[in-house]
Amino acid sequence: MIVKFAAIMGWAETAALNFIWGIIFPNLIREPPVLNNTYWGSGDRSIDDTTIRPFKIDFSKEMVQDLKQRLDNVRLPQPALENVGWSYGVRSEYIRSIIDYWKKDYKFEQREDKLNKYPQFITKIQGLDIHYYHVKPQISEGRQVQVLPLLILHGWPDSVVQYQKIIPLLNQPRSEYDFAFEMIIPSLPGFGYSDATTKQGLDAPAMGEILKNLMMRLEKPKFYVLGGDWGAWIASSMAIMYPNVILGLHSTMCTRLTPETYGQQFSFNPWNDKSITKWLIPTTEKPQDESPSLQDYLFFVIEEGGYFHEQATKPDTIGFALSDSPAGLAAYVLEKFAIATNKLNKYSNDGNITKLGLDELIDNLMLYWIPNKITSSMRIYAESANRYSSFPQMEKMKVKVPTSCVQAPNEIIDTPKEDLCKRFVQMKNYQRLSKGGHFLALEEPTLYAHEVWRGVGRIRNGTSAC
């Protein structure tokens, strides 16, 4: 019984008791929540300014100078132990190399220009300024295609930076498809250049309401949505709450986090049965031939899930440290990129993350550092991972809009197709990829874009994938 309870509690990334409490608690919410356009701005409700204002990211000289001064005065912790890789966390000597690159080799003006390559805007929704990219397709003269509004959602600790590489791969029509994408890529509330709320309760479904209202502001009454990490959960929440608005859902992290799923998966001797690797840990990730047991997996959850518990309970405490130290912010965020890209990266001395692009990784850090949003970004865990949020119960609800599910081999959550079919009842596309991890758009942009085209194509014209 103890082992089974531990198994139920042990899915990758949700080591936090608050979230698991929400999942295993009796189903108090049987229908999608009805949200009433809560005012999330400071003070009492006021009428939103509905204008849409052009926006550009600004790495001001004053902010850059302050950043460099802080990087000049970093006090590194003691050196890492010998032969432990990143299993104790990021190595201090590696962060020293990041600090040096950030100060000396990162081209602030060039990177600012790159982040401003595509049109950006800000508009106020439910009391909060929401920042977003709005990229229209480049359609050659005489070409007849249907333009599809596509809302693209990031998660934590990534940002709109993750999708910079895929924009040019999605904004030009492909000959084999009769449609093109008009992309809207927002910074989630409390992330990047979107306002943070001063009120409690802004969980994943509430963010979904804000983003749906953003699309209404842009005169997109029906649209497609895709996402990964929290963006995937927000997207699925939107599909549940607004099935008449969402034309299709494309997700790189489809999940069905229910007691039934865990009960089916763990109705065996967890210490000997190796079939768990079909769900939790792909066998290709292990250096030895023998597949890991549930015991191995539980140790992984304990080792790698601590940040979730911290952010789901005390985000402001860790946020204080990360808001004050750019080196600390880099260590904390880059370690998450390393492990979520591939669990085995913890055995290397550099986390194997330079292949993601050092400039892109620092661009991402800049979108937390410059607007000072690391604390507010982490609050999504505290607001969504508790029994007062409707979000955990929504994992038990069916998604009835046409859906495309893509599963990378190194994704942090891997749910069997047969379980996904029970939740995503109109799943039109299901793909298990040969490479990639949690930040797929950043890791494998060409592959990611290919899957978006294929996924949306099958959402529109495909038969059931179940």
Side-chain angles (χ1 to χ4, degrees), residues 143 145 172-179 449-450 453-454 457 461:
R143 178 86 188 273
V145 295
Q172 296 195 22
R174 294 192 175 184
S175 58
E176 62 267 40
Y177 297 104
D178 62 355
F179 57 86
H450 173 77
W453 284 103
R454 174 161 60 179
N461 299 312

Side-chain angles (χ1 to χ4, degrees), residues 357-372:
L358 200 51
D359 284 326
E360 284 78 9
L361 290 171
I362 295 179
D363 289 345
N364 187 69
L365 292 174
M366 291 291 285
L367 262 63
Y368 284 96
W369 179 261
I370 297 296
N372 194 16

Side-chain angles (χ1 to χ4, degrees), residues 77-359:
Q78 291 179 316
L81 299 176
E82 296 177 1
N83 304 317
V84 298
W86 281 27
S87 59
Y88 279 59
V90 64
R91 298 179 70 87
S92 61
E93 58 267 33
Y94 180 79
I95 294 301
R96 167 53 72 190
S97 70
I98 294 294
I99 292 168
D100 291 341
Y101 187 89
W102 203 348
K103 288 190 304 182
K104 301 174 184 177
D105 299 315
Y106 181 80
K107 308 299 184 184
F108 288 90
E109 291 184 2
Q110 292 180 15
R111 300 311 297 180
E112 177 187 84
D113 289 342
K114 189 172 183 64
L115 290 170
N116 286 323
K117 179 178 180 179
Y118 300 104
Q120 300 168 77
F121 304 89
I122 281 183
T123 191
K124 194 172 290 294
I125 306 289
Q126 296 173 239
L128 301 179
D129 273 346
I130 301 300
H131 161 255
Y132 62 97
Y133 286 88
H134 192 169
V135 185
K136 298 181 179 180
Q138 298 178 359
I139 303 173
S140 59
E141 187 175 354
R143 178 86 188 273
Q144 298 296 319
V145 295
Q146 184 177 355
V147 176
L148 307 182
L150 180 62
L151 179 66
I152 301 177
L153 305 179
H154 67 83
W156 188 95
D158 61 311
S159 65
V160 292
V161 169
Q162 180 176 189
Y163 298 115
Q164 297 292 312
K165 291 180 179 179
I166 70 161
I167 291 175
L169 302 176
L170 294 181
N171 78 334
Q172 296 195 22
R174 294 192 175 184
S175 58
E176 62 267 40
Y177 297 104
D178 62 355
F179 57 86
F181 295 117
E182 180 176 351
M183 290 172 277
I184 295 89
I185 311 174
S187 295
L188 298 181
F191 289 70
Y193 291 93
S194 288
D195 279 350
T197 184
T198 60
K199 298 175 170 62
Q200 284 185 295
L202 186 53
D203 59 5
M207 288 190 183
E209 181 187 40
I210 290 173
L211 298 171
K212 183 266 294 184
N213 288 335
L214 169 65
M215 296 299 281
M216 299 303 106
R217 176 73 51 81
L218 298 179
E219 299 181 346
K220 309 298 179 186
K222 294 180 182 290
F223 55 92
Y224 294 81
V225 61
L226 73 82
D229 193 80
W230 278 106
W233 282 328
I234 294 170
S236 62
S237 296
M238 294 174 73
I240 292 169
M241 295 188 296
Y242 311 115
N244 296 325
V245 170
I246 306 300
L247 294 170
L249 163 67
H250 179 83
S251 175
T252 56
M253 198 179 75
C254 291
T255 57
R256 182 175 183 255
L257 306 174
T258 69
E260 178 190 359
T261 298
Y262 297 120
Q264 291 172 351
Q265 292 297 322
F266 299 120
S267 58
F268 51 73
N269 180 344
W271 308 108
N272 297 321
D273 195 308
K274 304 301 181 182
S275 63
I276 189 172
T277 58
K278 298 177 182 177
W279 178 37
L280 294 175
I281 309 177
T283 56
T284 54
E285 289 190 23
K286 299 297 290 184
Q288 60 268 58
D289 293 335
E290 186 177 0
S291 301
S293 67
L294 175 58
Q295 184 179 19
D296 298 320
Y297 173 69
L298 293 178
F299 275 117
F300 167 76
V301 170
I302 292 169
E303 283 184 294
E304 307 300 343
Y307 81 96
F308 194 107
H309 197 175
E310 177 71 20
Q311 292 171 199
T313 54
K314 300 294 185 292
D316 287 24
T317 300
I318 186 65
F320 193 97
L322 303 182
S323 297
D324 188 59
S325 168
L329 177 68
Y332 194 76
V333 168
L334 295 182
E335 186 248 320
K336 305 302 179 290
F337 271 92
I339 301 304
T341 301
N342 189 319
K343 303 176 187 73
L344 295 184
N345 285 342
K346 72 177 182 179
Y347 298 116
S348 69
N349 287 329
D350 62 1
N352 286 330
I353 58 173
T354 54
K355 65 181 181 181
L356 300 179
L358 200 51
D359 284 326

Side-chain angles (χ1 to χ4, degrees), residues 43-55:
D44 297 330
R45 179 182 290 273
S46 62
I47 298 175
D48 282 343
D49 174 3
T50 61
T51 59
I52 295 174
R53 294 112 57 195
F55 178 81

